[in-house]
């Protein structure tokens, strides 16, 4: 697993082990190439994990996915590949943490919504959106009084569910006078 | 779906077989799987005919947000993302060709028609996921390939030595995965174009051949 390798490199000082003495130039070049190849393999695995998380995180917005370019397009050396790999690993960790944090908030919101549906009078004026519970639609749930001020005075509360997203107007409508 | 000599596809075999470009030896060793295939054929940048525009609209209808989100799960788009990382590009800052089109689809509400050549390239990229680009064949000298730039070479700006470029036998004609910026890009006077596919590890030969075949088919239709 890439994480285990990442941990190992992190503990060892973020660099592959040094070359033993007595190696020829060809041996060193070959060893360097193997290190680069291994780093590329790790980058591929991390990219796959990041892609999976990206899809799983949808429709949550505002999560940072960018890692930053490494001055390419060019052939990266060991140090550059390490930077890319470390940046990907760091981004993966921060994105996982953010998705988990939002997941906890969404779970709390789902519980709040259930309670609100059972007893709207105890959650007066509360508004919960689909985004608050991690869903992709535009629906909202709002605890509102029946018959306006009368319901407010009488304690007649209900949960009103919105009808969804606004209708798309399209480019033609937007450009219309 | 190999177009090689397959009369059943209704394509002239002499024209349909993509040529293999060259890849500098050090790049072949360092980035195995990197390759360039291209096909030179008649192409103009005139307005797309109705059936090509209709095909783009159909693709727009088939390609929604879910497909865009799941692009990274598909083998070929993922292979390009990985390759971008390997060469120091961030695919979230400079999207891969298929992701660039997906972004445009989301932003404009549909794939935008530009001209027949660009539309052919776009249709082939969307359907195959393979990175394609076009050059004006009249402005090229010899075979195309991939190499690193030498000191003093430039496109619109001087290139840092070691930059990965698509080149003909005389000069660089564009950064790898960048826009052509050497005067080799097709324009209103273009009569023949070289449609080039950059292949990376994880992208099968058949996908590259299919991509070029789709583009050539749209141009000939």
């Amino acid at each position: 697993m890439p994480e285990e390798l990442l941990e190992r490199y992190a503990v060892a000082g973020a660099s592959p082990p040094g070359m033993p003495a007595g190696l020829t130039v060809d041996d060193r070049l070959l060893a360097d190439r193997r290190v680069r190849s291994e780093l590329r393999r790790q980058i591929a695995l991390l990219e796959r994990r990041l892609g999976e998380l990206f899809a799983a995180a949808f429709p949550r917005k505002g999560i940072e996915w960018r890692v930053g370019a490494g001055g390419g397009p060019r052939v990266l050396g060991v140090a550059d590949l390490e930077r890319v790999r470390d940046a990907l690993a760091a981004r993966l960790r921060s994105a996982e943490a953010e998705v988990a944090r939002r997941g906890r908030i969404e779970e709390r919101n789902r519980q709040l919504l259930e309670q609100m549906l059972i007893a709207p009078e105890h959650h007066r004026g509360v508004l919960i959106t689909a985004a608050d519970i991690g869903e992709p639609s535009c629906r909202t749930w709002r605890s509102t009084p029946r018959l306006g001020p009368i319901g407010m005075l009488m304690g007649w509360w209900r949960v009103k569910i919105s009808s969804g997203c606004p209708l798309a107007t399209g480019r033609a409508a937007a450009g219309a006078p | 779906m190999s177009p090689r000599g397959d009369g059943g596809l209704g394509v002239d075999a002499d024209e349909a077989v993509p040529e293999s470009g060259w890849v500098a030896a050090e790049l072949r060793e360092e980035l195995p799987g990197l390759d360039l295939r291209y096909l030179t054929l008649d192409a103009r940048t005139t307005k797309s005919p109705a059936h090509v525009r209709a095909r783009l609209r159909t693709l727009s209808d088939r390609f929604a947000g879910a497909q865009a989100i799941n692009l990274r799960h598909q083998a070929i788009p993922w292979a390009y993302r990985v390759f971008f990382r390997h060469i120091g590009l961030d695919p979230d800052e400079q999207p891969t060709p298929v992701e660039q089109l997906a972004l445009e689809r989301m932003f404009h509400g549909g794939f935008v028609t530009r001209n027949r050549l660009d539309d052919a390239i776009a249709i082939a990229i969307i359907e195959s996921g393979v990175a394609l680009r076009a050059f004006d064949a009249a402005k090229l000298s010899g075979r195309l390939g991939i190499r690193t730039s030498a000191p003093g070479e430039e496109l619109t700006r001087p290139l840092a030595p070691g930059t990965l470029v698509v080149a003909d036998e005389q000069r660089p004609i564009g950064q790898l995965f960048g826009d052509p910026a050497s005067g080799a890009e097709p324009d209103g006077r273009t009569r023949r174009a070289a449609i080039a596919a950059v292949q990376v590890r994880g992208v099968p030969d058949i996908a590259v051949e299919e991509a070029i075949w789709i583009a050539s088919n749209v141009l000939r239709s």
Side-chain angles (χ1 to χ4, degrees):
Chain A
M1 289 303 293
E3 287 79 2
E4 291 162 359
L5 291 163
L6 296 175
E7 292 298 332
R8 199 178 70 201
Y9 283 151
V11 170
S15 292
M19 308 289 176
L23 288 182
T24 65
V25 172
D26 281 350
D27 289 341
R28 283 169 191 275
L29 289 175
L30 194 61
D32 255 0
R33 180 165 293 157
R34 282 192 185 138
V35 172
R36 289 196 296 274
S37 176
E38 174 57 22
L39 286 166
R40 289 191 186 106
R41 193 185 68 80
Q42 293 177 21
I43 288 168
L45 286 171
L46 288 166
E47 175 59 37
R48 184 179 292 281
R49 290 280 304 277
L50 202 60
E52 287 167 357
L53 188 64
F54 176 82
F58 184 79
R60 298 176 185 92
K61 292 175 185 167
I63 299 175
E64 182 59 63
W65 299 103
R66 283 174 299 181
V67 168
R74 61 191 174 91
V75 176
L76 301 185
V78 170
D80 292 320
L81 286 167
E82 277 184 339
R83 268 195 288 277
V84 172
R85 180 206 54 187
D86 294 346
L88 268 172
R91 176 60 63 216
L92 182 60
R93 271 197 206 115
S94 67
E96 276 175 341
E98 179 63 14
V99 170
R101 187 185 72 81
R102 293 195 189 191
R104 287 192 294 275
I105 293 170
E106 287 156 7
E107 181 55 33
R108 280 203 296 272
N109 288 338
R110 274 192 288 273
Q111 288 171 3
L112 176 64
L113 176 60
E114 283 174 17
Q115 291 163 6
M116 191 169 90
L117 290 168
I118 293 167
E121 67 277 10
H122 294 151
H123 302 86
R124 298 178 177 191
V126 172
L127 171 73
I128 296 176
T129 65
D132 292 333
I133 59 171
E135 289 187 2
S137 74
C138 305
R139 264 186 309 171
T140 60
W141 293 261
R142 185 194 290 272
S143 175
T144 59
R146 288 177 193 274
L147 304 175
I150 297 172
M152 202 180 283
L153 292 170
M154 300 299 291
W156 297 336
W157 290 81
R158 62 177 173 179
V159 174
K160 203 168 180 180
I161 304 175
S162 77
S163 54
C165 296
L167 292 174
T169 51
R171 277 180 289 175
Chain B
M1 198 192 309
S2 170
R4 288 176 190 276
D6 185 349
L9 294 174
V11 174
D12 184 340
D14 289 340
E15 290 182 315
V17 178
E19 286 183 60
S20 287
W22 46 267
V23 175
E26 71 273 15
L27 293 181
R28 272 197 194 281
E29 289 180 3
E30 193 65 37
L31 300 167
L34 178 63
D35 210 344
L36 186 84
R37 305 281 295 277
Y38 64 98
L39 181 67
T40 305
L41 73 175
D42 292 341
R44 304 216 174 186
T45 55
T46 52
K47 183 182 174 185
S48 286
H51 69 272
V52 173
R53 285 180 277 134
R55 189 164 171 181
L56 270 179
R57 280 197 300 275
T58 305
L59 283 172
S60 299
D61 293 341
R62 278 173 28 199
F63 196 97
Q67 281 79 9
I69 296 295
N70 284 314
L71 267 182
R72 298 174 189 204
H73 282 206
Q74 296 170 16
I76 293 175
W78 174 76
Y80 282 106
R81 282 186 70 85
V82 169
F83 187 77
F84 268 46
R85 302 274 188 213
H86 288 172
I87 60 172
L89 299 175
D90 183 351
D92 292 316
E93 288 179 358
Q94 181 184 331
T96 60
V98 69
E99 289 186 6
Q100 178 66 43
L101 285 168
L103 285 174
E104 285 180 22
R105 159 70 183 87
M106 297 300 119
F107 187 75
H108 296 291
F111 295 115
V112 179
T113 179
R114 293 189 171 85
N115 59 65
R116 190 165 190 158
L117 180 56
D118 286 347
D119 290 354
I121 298 279
I123 288 168
I125 291 174
I126 297 158
E127 293 199 347
S128 69
V130 173
L132 289 179
R133 61 199 300 187
F135 300 99
D136 188 332
K139 298 169 184 168
L140 304 177
S141 304
R143 292 172 62 224
L144 302 184
I146 301 172
R147 63 172 170 84
T148 54
S149 63
E153 284 188 322
E154 59 182 41
L155 291 169
T156 49
R157 291 178 298 194
L159 287 165
T163 302
L164 291 169
V165 293
V166 177
D168 60 17
E169 289 174 5
Q170 292 196 341
R171 62 181 181 132
I173 54 174
Q175 280 193 28
L176 194 64
F177 298 114
D179 287 331
S182 61
E185 57 269 36
D187 56 26
R189 287 167 298 190
T190 298
R191 294 294 175 267
R192 282 180 70 76
I195 295 175
V198 177
Q199 185 175 10
V200 301
R201 179 185 263 181
V203 177
D205 287 345
I206 193 166
V208 173
E209 290 180 3
E210 185 183 10
I212 294 175
W213 182 81
I214 291 170
S216 65
N217 203 29
V218 171
L219 284 168
R220 288 175 179 136
S221 61

